[in-house]
C-alpha cells in the first residue's frame, strides 16, 4: 500500500460494467459497514481510500486490501480512474468534499446529514445535477427488508388510510463514538445523527411529506456543551397524518420501533431502525397479530447496489441528494422548534431537482 497515489493499473483492468469506488474519510462507519458492502457488490470495485492522515489511510487500505490510499481526492484523481466516491467524513466536510467530487465528474454517495445547512445541501444537490453526476444520500434504512415490507404494506392499502405513525430510534451511543457527536455544537447532536434518518424512513414508508413540526430536545446524559442527546417531535404530514418521532443516544434498554396505524389495521416494526438487518414486522387487525415474513438483507450492500444501478443504468438511487435535502430540512425545523418552543413549517423538498432560485 502507499499513501502517495499510485496509478491503479488502469485501462487493462478496468471493467466498463463496474463502478470504481474511492472512500473519502477513513471513518468508523466505513470500517464497520460500507467498505465491506462495496466489496460485496458484484458490480463495484473498491480501489482507493482518502484520509487526511496518511497513516490512518494506509492502515485502512491494508485492513481492507484496497490498492491505493491518498491524503487528498485531488492527488488521487491525477493518477487513478475512479467513478464514484463515498463521502464518509465528518458532517462539516460533506459539502466541500461533495462539491470537489462533483467538479471532478465523480458520482457521490454522501453520508447524512447531507450538509449542516439547507443552503449547503441545496448547493450540493444542484452542483451534482449540473455536473450530470449521481448524488445519493446514505439513508441506508431504505435498504432494510423490514422497512421495505412496511412501505409495501402501506402503499398496497393493507392498513387502509394511514392516520398516524411512530418512529422510535432510541439507542445507547457506544462510548467510542462519544466524541464530536456529543461535544461539537456545530456538527454534533442527535438531530444531525438520528433525526434525519427517522424523517427519511417516515417519508419512505408513508410516501408522504412533512409539513410542520413541534419538538423538544434535551441533553440528558452524554451530550456536552448543550449538545442534545434526545429529541421528541410531533410531525404533521401533507396527507394530514400525524407522526411521533423520538431519537435518542442515551437509551441502553429501549427497543427501536416503527409503527403505522391506519383505518383498517396497524403495522408494528420491532427492533428495526438499525444498521444491522434486524427486527420483525407484524400487522394487527382487531386483536389478531400476524407476522409478515421478511428475508434479511445487508442494508449498506442494498444501498450500494442501487447506487451502482443509478450510475451504470440511469436508475434512481435508494435515496437521492434531494431526499437528503428533504430530511435535513425537517431535521432543521425540529431543531428550531425545540430551540424556540414554536411549531415550525417545513419547506417542501420532495425528491425533485426543480427548486426555484
Ligand atoms: P468518525 O469519527 O469515525 O470519522 C469521521 C472522520 O474523522 C473520518 O472520515 C476520518 O477522516 C476522521 N477520523 C477517523 N478516525 C479518526 C481518529 N481516530 N482520530 C481522528 N480523526 C479520525 O465518524 P463516523 O464513522 O461515526 O461518521 C462519519 C459520517 O458517517 C458522519 O457524517 C456520520 O453522520 C455518518 N454516519 C452514518 C451512518 C449511516 O448508517 N448512514 C452511521 C454512522 C455514521 P480522515 O480519515 O480524513 O481524517
Amino acid at each position: 500500500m502507499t499513501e502517495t497515489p499510485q496509478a491503479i493499473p488502469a485501462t487493462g483492468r478496468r471493467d466498463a460494467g463496474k463502478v470504481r469506488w474511492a472512500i473519502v474519510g477513513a471513518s468508523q462507519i466505513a470500517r464497520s459497514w460500507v467498505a465491506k458492502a462495496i466489496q460485496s457488490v458484484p458490480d463495484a470495485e473498491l480501489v482507493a481510500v482518502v484520509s487526511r492522515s496518511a497513516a490512518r489511510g494506509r492502515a485502512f487500505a491494508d485492513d481492507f486490501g484496497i490498492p491505493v490510499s491518498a491524503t487528498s481526492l485531488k492527488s488521487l484523481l491525477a493518477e487513478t480512474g475512479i467513478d464514484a466516491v463515498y463521502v464518509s467524513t465528518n458532517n462539516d466536510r460533506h459539502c466541500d468534499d461533495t462539491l470537489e467530487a462533483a467538479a471532478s465528474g465523480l458520482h457521490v454517495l454522501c453520508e447524512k446529514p447531507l450538509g449542516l445547512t439547507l443552503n449547503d445541501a441545496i448547493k450540493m444537490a444542484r452542483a451534482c445535477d449540473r455536473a450530470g453526476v449521481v448524488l445519493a444520500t446514505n439513508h441506508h434504512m431504505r435498504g432494510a427488508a423490514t422497512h421495505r415490507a412496511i412501505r409495501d404494506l402501506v402503499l398496497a392499502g393493507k392498513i387502509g388510510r394511514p392516520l398516524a405513525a411512530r418512529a422510535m430510534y432510541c439507542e445507547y451511543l457506544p462510548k467510542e463514538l462519544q466524541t464530536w457527536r456529543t461535544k461539537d455544537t456545530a456538527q454534533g447532536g442527535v438531530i444531525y445523527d438520528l433525526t434525519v434518518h427517522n424523517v427519511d424512513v417516515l417519508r419512505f414508508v408513508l410516501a408522504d411529506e412533512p409539513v410542520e413540526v413541534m419538538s423538544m430536545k434535551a441533553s440528558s446524559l452524554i451530550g456536552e456543551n448543550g449538545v442534545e442527546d434526545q429529541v421528541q417531535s410531533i410531525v404533521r404530514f401533507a396527507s394530514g397524518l400525524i407522526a411521533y418521532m423520538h431519537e435518542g443516544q442515551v437509551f441502553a434498554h429501549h427497543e427501536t420501533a416503527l409503527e403505522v396505524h391506519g383505518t383498517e389495521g396497524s403495522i408494528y416494526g420491532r427492533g428495526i431502525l438499525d444498521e444491522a438487518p434486524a427486527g420483525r414486522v407484524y400487522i394487527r387487525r382487531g386483536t389478531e397479530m400476524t407476522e409478515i415474513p421478511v428475508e434479511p438483507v445487508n442494508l449498506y450492500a442494498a444501498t450500494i447496489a442501487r447506487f451502482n444501478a443509478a450510475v451504470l443504468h440511469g436508475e434512481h438511487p435508494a435515496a437521492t441528494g434531494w431526499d437528503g435535502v428533504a430530511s435535513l430540512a425537517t431535521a432543521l425545523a425540529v431543531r428550531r422548534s425545540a430551540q424556540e418552543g414554536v411549531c415550525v413549517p417545513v419547506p417542501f423538498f420532495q425528491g425533485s431537482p426543480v427548486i426555484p432560485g
Side-chain angles (χ1 to χ4, degrees), residues 107-235:
H107 305 282
V108 183
L109 171 62
C110 184
E111 267 305 344
K112 45 50 60 168
L114 199 57
L116 294 182
T117 66
L118 213 40
N119 276 348
D120 277 357
I122 291 170
K123 205 191 317 175
M124 294 159 71
R126 284 202 178 123
C128 290
D129 285 346
R130 287 198 191 109
V133 297
V134 173
L135 173 62
T137 311
N138 195 23
H139 279 313
H140 66 289
M141 300 276 183
R142 292 185 181 218
T146 45
H147 304 152
R148 302 193 79 81
I150 293 174
R151 176 181 159 94
D152 290 347
L153 291 168
V154 170
L155 298 189
K158 299 290 185 195
I159 57 164
R161 183 160 69 91
L163 304 173
R166 298 194 191 107
M168 285 157 270
Y169 194 173
C170 295
E171 59 179 20
Y172 190 81
L173 187 70
K175 191 82 189 150
E176 65 272 16
L177 295 184
Q178 293 177 26
T179 55
W180 56 268
R181 265 188 185 75
T182 52
K183 295 177 176 51
D184 188 333
T185 54
Q187 61 173 329
V190 77
I191 294 174
Y192 281 139
D193 199 28
L194 301 184
T195 302
V196 285
H197 276 318
N198 251 358
V199 170
D200 185 69
V201 167
L202 286 170
R203 289 183 68 242
F204 179 63
V205 303
L206 299 170
D208 204 351
E209 292 295 333
V211 293
E212 60 178 340
V213 303
M214 188 77 219
S215 307
M216 285 191 191
K217 66 184 171 93
S219 306
S220 306
L221 198 62
I222 60 172
E224 297 175 34
N225 311 317
V227 171
E228 80 285 348
D229 54 25
Q230 68 160 320
V231 60
Q232 302 190 25
S233 308
I234 304 295
V235 187

Side-chain angles (χ1 to χ4, degrees), residues 28-29 51-52 56 91 94 111-112 180-181 300:
Q28 190 55 47
I29 185 66
S51 172
R52 288 167 300 187
R56 192 164 50 245
N91 296 343
H94 292 178
E111 267 305 344
K112 45 50 60 168
W180 56 268
R181 265 188 185 75
Y300 297 91

